[in-house]
Each structure stands twice: as structure tokens, then as C-alpha cells.
Amino acid sequence: MPDSRSLVFQSNQGTAQNLIRAFVDGNPVRKLTSGPEMDSWFSCDVAGTHAAFLREDSEHPREVQRMDLATAAVEKLTDTNPKTRDFLSFKKEPVSWTGPDGMKIDGLLITPPGYKAGKRVPLILNVHGGPAGTHSNTCTVTSRAYPWPLFAQKGYAILFPNPRGSGGYGEKFRAANVRDWGGKDYQDIMAGVDAVIERGIADPAKMAVCGWSYGGFMTSTIVTKTNRFKAAVVGAGVTDLGSMVGTCDIPEFNQSYFESWPWEDPQYYVDHSALYHAGNVKTPTSLVHGGSDERVPTSQGWEFYTALKKVGVPTDMLILPRQPHGPNEPRLLKRVAGMAPGLDQQVHAGNAAGG
């Protein structure tokens, strides 16, 4: 801030993102915003009386807001996407449930347009990356690898869980999956699926699962632990934690989460890697990777793809040329979205993986 007495930063607060002010003199930290929206890119005027920032939520794209810092009053300044009001919006409903040891777990839920309570619909489970990422109240039309509006229009509900290990819930929650990837975090996620089924929303016979990075790890882990899903798409997934250490650009990341190197604790790495449990998989599973991904190299996908082939599980592998860990070319993102019809067919008919 202009007076050099405080700092303003953005921080995940559960499924929201708020602007936080911290003081150098020891005064208590306080929130400048506290709603369910996503607030970011704070900028203050020289006088320190007014600020501008961006705000979005699940139904509205980012627009510039002005805040009076004395009163905290917020005024919307821009309307850069008026055309969006002519299209369907997809509100993310905050949901919560209890994990296996009583821990409160949050998430977000999209239901199909015109959904009526009590009607069971197909469900897609999406696991975020990180694992310290967070599913947040972002505008749904800005989704990249996964085209949520297309699935919602086809009649799907989509569940976005924030299991233990997610950011935005404090240090203890974020560290709760250290040395336990695919353990209680898996149970947190499946408890969320059960909660949506218990509400009468999800059809337990028509479910699919997908995720990117750690979400890909969890997707590959899920299909080794349960056959409840009719289809799965593993995006840039870590399937062999041991070989990941020797091939990725951040080997210390694994060591920090697992508190050991694979040569020090090989059994742990085996126990928590989907590759070594591929014989349990029955779910048709596709794999997607960026061809230039240094964070999760394509070898991770090829290992699991080969294993699934050898055990007779329907599978395919899609390599996106030139793409890093986060695909960014629109044409190739459209190619990933093009996998949706194949996934839809699997969920409804249980057919072999299509791609």
C-alpha cells in the first residue's frame, strides 16, 4: 500500500478467493472482501483511498471493480462480455460432507440446466491438481481442458471435491495427505460421490472420473481401487511415483510429500503408484499428456497405458504436440474436448474406450 504500512494479497478461502490486508505493525490481518466470489489482481491508487481489482464467479466472467477503502463499498466498472448474458450459465453450488475421520470436506457441484430435484443424472467427478490446488468459484465458461458447459448441457452433474491436501483451508488441512496420497484423500473424494448419490442427484450406475496432474494421479488411483466408474480420463497423471522422481523437473517435490526418496522407501512408492495395481482395473481408461510436459513426462502415461493394454483394459493414449504441463493451444484443447462423446458413450453404454 502507498503508506508502506500494509500489504494486500489475494488468498483462497475455501472455494472463494478474497483480498486480504496484512499490517507490518502487528495489527490483525483483515479481509477487504469476504464474499463467495473470486477476487484478484488488486491495484491501489497513489493516495491509498481507492483500489481496483477483478471479480468473477461461476456465472459471470471477470470484470473490473472499484473499492472505496474507507467504506469497503464496491462498484462494478466494466461490462466487457455483455454477450454472455444471452447464453446458459452454470452455477457452482457449494456442497460439503464428512470425510472418513470426521474432517469436513467442501466441494462444488454443477447440475444440468433446468435440473429438477430428485431426478438422477449421470455424474462426472473431477479431481483438481496440486495436490494443493483448489476447486474454486471460477466462471465455468473459462474451463480449459474439460468443457464443463458441454457436459452440463448433455445432462451431466459435475462434482468438484476439495479433499485433504487442498489449499485454502489452512496449514493442517493442506498437510493432511503427506505420505498418504491415494489414502484418506481418496476416501474424502468417494464420500463426496456418495453424498451426491444420497441427495438423489447422481445415478450410481452412470459415473465417470477425470483429473489433471495430481487429479490424473488420483484418477489412475481411483480405477485401481473401485469399479464404480464406467469411464476414466487420466490427464497428465503421475502413475509411477518412483520413476517420476528420476524424470520430472522437480524431484524434490516427491521427497517433500513422501518424506523419503524411492531408494530409501521403495515399498511406499510401490504401494501408492497406480502402475503396480493395474491388475485391479476394469474401467475403460483414456490417457492424455502434453508432448513437451517436463513436470509429468509422457513416460508416466505410457507406463500405465502399456500396463492396461497387457491386462486387457480398454485404453488409448492422446499426446498433445508441443504442449507443456498445462495445454494452451485452442485447437488442441478442442481436441481434448472432442473426447467427450467417447466418454459419454462409455458412461451410458459401457463400451470400450474411445478417443
Side-chain angles (χ1 to χ4, degrees), residues 93 95 109-112 115-123 157-158 195-204:
E93 175 195 349
V95 291
L109 179 68
I110 295 176
T111 51
Y115 175 76
K116 294 182 179 179
K119 180 183 178 182
R120 292 198 180 274
V121 296
L123 177 73
I158 304 106
V196 178
I197 293 172
E198 289 169 7
R199 284 182 56 183
I201 297 173
D203 184 341

Side-chain angles (χ1 to χ4, degrees), residues 8-336:
V8 175
F9 57 94
Q10 63 199 47
S11 175
N12 286 343
Q13 304 286 293
T15 58
Q17 183 171 269
N18 298 137
L19 298 174
I20 312 294
R21 189 171 187 174
F23 298 87
V24 299
D25 59 7
N27 282 329
V29 173
R30 67 181 178 90
K31 292 182 179 181
L32 292 180
T33 63
S34 58
E37 305 89 0
M38 300 291 292
D39 297 328
S40 61
W41 293 98
F42 177 91
S43 180
C44 188
D45 66 352
V46 174
T49 61
H50 290 81
F53 63 94
L54 297 180
R55 171 171 287 176
E56 67 176 300
D57 61 32
S58 58
E59 297 181 280
H60 304 96
R62 290 177 178 175
E63 297 293 351
V64 180
Q65 318 284 324
R66 179 171 58 194
M67 174 185 289
D68 184 322
L69 292 171
T71 65
V74 175
E75 174 190 5
K76 180 180 175 183
L77 292 186
T78 62
D79 187 16
T80 56
N81 289 283
K83 190 66 178 175
T84 60
R85 290 191 287 276
D86 297 336
F87 303 124
L88 286 172
S89 61
F90 302 91
K91 185 176 182 178
K92 292 177 177 175
E93 175 195 349
V95 291
S96 61
W97 58 90
T98 302
D101 51 5
M103 187 175 286
K104 179 178 178 289
I105 307 298
D106 288 344
L108 294 162
L109 179 68
I110 295 176
T111 51
Y115 175 76
K116 294 182 179 179
K119 180 183 178 182
R120 292 198 180 274
V121 296
L123 177 73
I124 295 178
L125 168 66
N126 176 250
V127 186
H128 64 63
T134 311
H135 278 309
S136 302
N137 196 27
T138 52
C139 185
T140 51
V141 298
T142 64
S143 60
R144 294 172 66 83
Y146 301 105
W148 305 128
L150 297 181
F151 282 109
Q153 289 178 80
K154 289 181 72 67
Y156 283 85
I158 304 106
L159 175 65
F160 306 95
N162 286 334
R164 67 193 66 206
S166 302
Y169 295 92
E171 181 181 3
K172 182 178 179 180
F173 190 91
R174 180 166 172 167
N177 69 339
V178 171
R179 283 191 65 84
D180 192 37
W181 282 27
K184 288 186 177 178
D185 49 0
Y186 162 77
Q187 295 177 53
D188 290 340
I189 291 168
M190 296 307 297
V193 172
D194 290 337
V196 178
I197 293 172
E198 289 169 7
R199 284 182 56 183
I201 297 173
D203 184 341
K206 296 181 179 180
M207 301 194 301
V209 58
C210 62
W212 199 268
S213 193
Y214 165 80
F217 162 86
M218 188 56 69
T219 300
S220 67
T221 297
I222 285 172
V223 297
T224 69
K225 290 177 174 286
T226 179
N227 298 324
R228 295 176 64 183
F229 296 93
K230 297 295 184 182
V233 180
V234 177
V238 182
T239 65
D240 184 349
L241 294 172
S243 66
M244 174 78 172
V245 169
T247 56
C248 75
D249 63 342
I250 51 169
E252 288 79 12
F253 175 83
N254 292 44
Q255 194 274 341
S256 67
Y257 262 104
F258 310 139
E259 298 180 337
S260 66
W261 294 106
W263 52 89
E264 297 171 334
D265 193 0
Q267 193 59 49
Y268 173 85
Y269 278 78
V270 169
D271 290 345
H272 293 262
S273 296
L275 176 68
Y276 300 99
H277 307 280
N280 298 333
V281 181
K282 304 297 181 185
T283 305
T285 301
S286 295
L287 298 103
V288 187
H289 268 268
S292 298
D293 189 346
E294 296 180 351
R295 183 60 40 87
V296 181
T298 57
S299 57
Q300 291 290 307
W302 285 120
E303 287 185 51
F304 202 52
Y305 169 82
T306 300
L308 294 181
K309 279 283 192 181
K310 296 302 181 183
V311 299
V313 174
T315 185
D316 54 27
M317 179 83 169
L318 174 64
I319 300 293
L320 305 174
R322 302 177 300 280
Q323 300 311 287
H325 192 52
N328 51 38
E329 292 184 28
R331 180 175 64 87
L332 296 177
L333 288 171
K334 185 177 179 181
R335 181 66 183 89
V336 177

